[in-house]
Each structure stands twice: as structure tokens, then as C-alpha cells.
Amino acid sequence: MHFDSKLPDVGTTIFTVMSRRALEEGALNIGQGFPDYPIDPELAAALTHVIGEGHNQYAPMEGVLELREQISAKLQASYGLLFDPHREITVTCGGTEALYDAIQAVVGPGDEAIIFDPAYDAYEPAVRLAGGRCVRVALAPPEFRYDWDEVRRALSERTRLIVVNSPQNPSCSVADARDLDALAALIRDRPITVLADEVYEHVLYDGRRHASVLAHAELRGRSFAVFSFGKTLHATGWRIGYCVAPPALTRELRKVHQFNTFSIVSPLQYAIARYLAGHPEVWTGLSAFFQAKRDLLAGLLRGSGFEPVPAAGTYFQLVDYGALSGETDVAFADRLIREAKIAAIPLSPFYAAPPAMTLLRLCIAKKDSTLEAAAGRLRAFAATARANR
Ligand code: GLN
């Protein structure tokens, strides 16, 4: 039977490809973003406990109330504002489901969504499946800052959505309050919703503070904000995220969510709720925790030929290999996996039209010993590459 693919140009995500290649090549995987150290044993114990208690049937579609109440308390502690667990908070299958649901809820055929390159890979396919089209605006390297004049030029009568991501994956840049002011001013009189991917809300470096759309008086009323317990509790495999949005937007999001995943794994939600009740503010140490890892890896790589690019947030570190090779990042990443046994993520797959650049993304959410081993392999590879140049 012949059929036309709805996403003919879409392959398997670079994260999955690189993790698969790492297994094949027996490489150390510092590509896809996931921790290699254990979760808090108390969180693990909470899960077996709630399963024993009998929390094994469907959770409510919008999420377990106990968890939504904990999320509300967490938002109040983080941003000083009250969000209604009943009408403004929805638990989703990771941040990715929340992104998908929000996009399906507001983008229709012929609509445009503005996204920023290098853009996280989940945005564009969701926009296209909704019948929309992405207009891509590049963040300007080396700091990957927003150019709001360029965004203004990208706006059209058909723009319905702008997707902002801060701290930004994969560029490790961070938007500040002035960026949010500029965004608010641009869309003030237009029918545009904001989708804010804030899954790295607690991982900002060097004293920076996260500027959430939820804390922005104007943007809060027209934004979906997406968060992730995978990142906050070091448990990416649990796939528990949530979306915070005003009641009218939450209603639309839930219409999609209930027919997408319907409801999220019940015992995981109870376990997180119990754990947060016993550990309020468990996330407050995350920036310091990851900053130490960033500094460890960057310190070991500086001067090696894998030059660390200043990182403002997320649990990644970009390195520039330009001193070692002029190969494209995809070709170089492939060679690195084969020859250095290190899996890293090239940046060009996150661009509509990739500029010439020699950057790789490394994940720092790893044991110190893993980061040391990875740096050792990279330094040895760089020494050989330099000798052969
Ligand atoms: N968020 C993860 C990363 O950036 C990837 C998750 C996935 O593989 N979809 O590496």
C-alpha cells in the first residue's frame, strides 16, 4: 500500500541515535541528557511504599491532586505566586507531552509558530502535525542571545505561538527579565500564545536567577509553562512533567492531554508528592550541584582543543573543537564515538539552516568519575588529533 508520510524528512532524534551508537561502540555516553548516578533512595522507597499502599489504578486525568498541591506549593516557593491546582496545573508524561499538548491546543492549519535555533527537536514536528508551520529565528552565537528586532520581522498575521526555552537546550544560554519584557511588548496586541519550556528552571549558573514567564505580570496570562521532575529529581526515566497555564489555556491543553496519554502513571505521582512533602525545597541546591560539575568538566577540558563555551544554565556544556578539526559536527561526533569512545551531541541537527560551527554538547549530569573519565578520553583524542594536523 502506498501512503504519504506526514513527516517525510524527520528521522530518529539525535539523542536516540547517539545513545544507540554509544551502546554499539561501547562508548561513554555524555550525549543524551540523563544522570548516571542514583536517585535519592528516599524517593525510590516512596515509590515501593505507595505501590504497596495500593495506588495502582488510573490517576485522575489532570494528575493526582496531592501532587498538584505540592506543585502549587513549589511554584509559590519559587515564584511567590499562587497557582490553582484544580484549574492551572496538569501533570504530563514528561515535559515533552506538555509541549505537544500545548502546541496541538493552539496551533491550527496555516498557523505559524516562531521557534529559536538551535531549537530543541520536539517543537517543530508537533507544530507540523497540527497543520502549522515553524518560522525559525536564530539565536546569535557565541552567547546565543535573542534578537528581538529579528523576532519582530518574523511576526505575521498568522503567528499564533512563540516557543521560548530558558535555560536553553542545547545552547546553554539563559533569557533574562529584559528578554521577557521585549517579548511581552512585541505580542501585546496580537493573538499570540507563549509556550515556555522551562524544564531547566533550577539550573542557572554564576548567581543568575531564572526569569519565568509565570513571574512576568503580562506574560503569565497568555503562557503555557512546562516543567520536569525528570530534571529536578534526577529521574528522567520517570517521565513526569507538568504544565502551568491560566484556566482557559489549561482547559484546552487538557482536551488534548486526555486523548493523548489520558493520565500519568499513578504510583510515580504519589511517590513524588510524598517525597516533596517530606523534602520541601529539595531543588534549591541544584544550581550549585551542577555548577560544580560544569566547573569540573570545563576545568579539565580548557586548553585541550575541546574549548568550553561559557554556559549560563542547563545540564550541558558546549565545547568548540575548531582547533582540532574542520569537519562538520555530525562527522566529527561520529569520529569521536569510534575513535575516542565518547558520545556527544552535535548542534547542527537543531537548526533549520545550520551555520558553519564546530560545537558539541556534553552532558554534565554525570558522576564526577564519569566526567573525569570522559575528559581523559577527550584530552587523549585531542592530543593525537593535534599531532596529526
Ligand atoms: N532532553 C534530553 C536531551 O536534551 C533528550 C530527551 C530525548 O531523548 N528525547 O538530551
Side-chain angles (χ1 to χ4, degrees), residues 48-65:
T48 45
H49 183 78
V50 297
I51 288 175
E53 263 182 9
H55 290 295
N56 302 301
Q57 309 308 329
Y58 295 136
M61 172 275 276
E62 61 274 38
V64 164
L65 182 58

Side-chain angles (χ1 to χ4, degrees), residues 13 15-16 31-33 96 120-121 169 200 231 316 345 361:
T13 78
F15 309 117
T16 299
Q32 191 178 32
T96 304
Y120 187 64
D121 64 352
N169 180 10
Y200 296 104
K231 308 299 184 303
F316 305 108
I345 301 290
R361 192 199 76 174

Side-chain angles (χ1 to χ4, degrees), residues 127-389:
V127 168
R128 287 169 56 192
L129 288 172
R133 183 175 89 81
C134 281
V135 174
R136 303 180 69 137
V137 176
L139 300 172
E143 287 182 38
F144 296 99
R145 303 228 36 110
Y146 287 96
D147 179 342
W148 293 106
D149 289 328
E150 188 142 347
V151 182
R152 178 180 296 107
R153 288 194 286 276
L155 289 172
S156 87
E157 291 300 306
R158 320 206 75 154
T159 312
R160 289 290 169 275
L161 184 71
I162 298 186
V163 184
V164 287
N165 172 209
S166 178
Q168 211 263 1
N169 180 10
S171 76
C172 309
S173 62
V174 160
D176 59 26
R178 279 167 312 177
D179 287 312
L180 296 190
D181 288 342
L183 171 61
L186 269 189
I187 63 177
R188 191 162 293 145
D189 302 315
R190 294 173 181 263
I192 297 176
T193 303
V194 173
L195 173 55
D197 176 350
E198 302 187 6
V199 298
Y200 296 104
E201 64 175 328
H202 299 307
V203 191
L204 279 83
Y205 302 132
D206 307 314
R208 290 180 179 82
R209 291 178 58 91
H210 177 52
S212 174
V213 293
L214 297 182
H216 193 280
E218 217 177 321
L219 291 177
R220 181 186 171 188
R222 59 198 304 167
S223 300
F224 295 97
V226 172
F227 302 97
S228 158
F229 282 118
K231 308 299 184 303
T232 304
L233 301 178
H234 313 286
T236 61
W238 283 30
R239 309 298 296 128
I240 306 282
Y242 53 100
C243 182
V244 185
L249 291 180
T250 292
R251 256 195 313 277
E252 295 307 308
L253 175 111
R254 288 179 182 175
K255 289 180 191 174
V256 181
H257 164 73
Q258 68 183 345
F259 295 116
N260 183 0
T261 52
F262 162 51
S263 76
I264 305 305
V265 184
S266 172
L268 294 177
Q269 295 190 61
Y270 280 100
I272 293 176
R274 300 285 164 86
Y275 180 76
L276 288 179
H279 300 79
E281 313 212 344
V282 62
W283 60 88
T284 50
L286 285 178
S287 283
F289 175 80
F290 286 115
Q291 184 167 321
K293 293 192 177 293
R294 176 199 68 167
D295 291 346
L296 172 68
L297 183 67
L300 291 170
L301 290 180
R302 209 160 282 128
S304 70
F306 287 101
E307 208 44 43
V309 176
T314 75
Y315 55 43
F316 305 108
Q317 168 72 59
L318 295 181
V319 291
D320 189 337
Y321 65 83
L324 301 177
S325 163
E327 282 165 280
T328 65
D329 56 357
V330 171
F332 188 76
D334 196 61
R335 187 148 74 89
L336 210 54
I337 265 198
R338 283 182 284 111
E339 295 178 14
K341 301 291 176 204
I342 288 286
I345 301 290
L347 247 63
S348 59
F350 303 94
Y351 281 87
M357 49 167 50
T358 47
L359 297 176
L360 295 175
R361 192 199 76 174
L362 310 181
C363 176
I364 58 169
K366 303 291 174 197
K367 292 184 282 220
D368 288 357
S369 57
T370 305
L371 296 175
E372 283 158 1
R377 291 186 191 189
L378 289 169
R379 291 188 75 94
F381 175 89
T384 315
R386 282 199 148 137
N388 294 339
R389 243 205 143 176

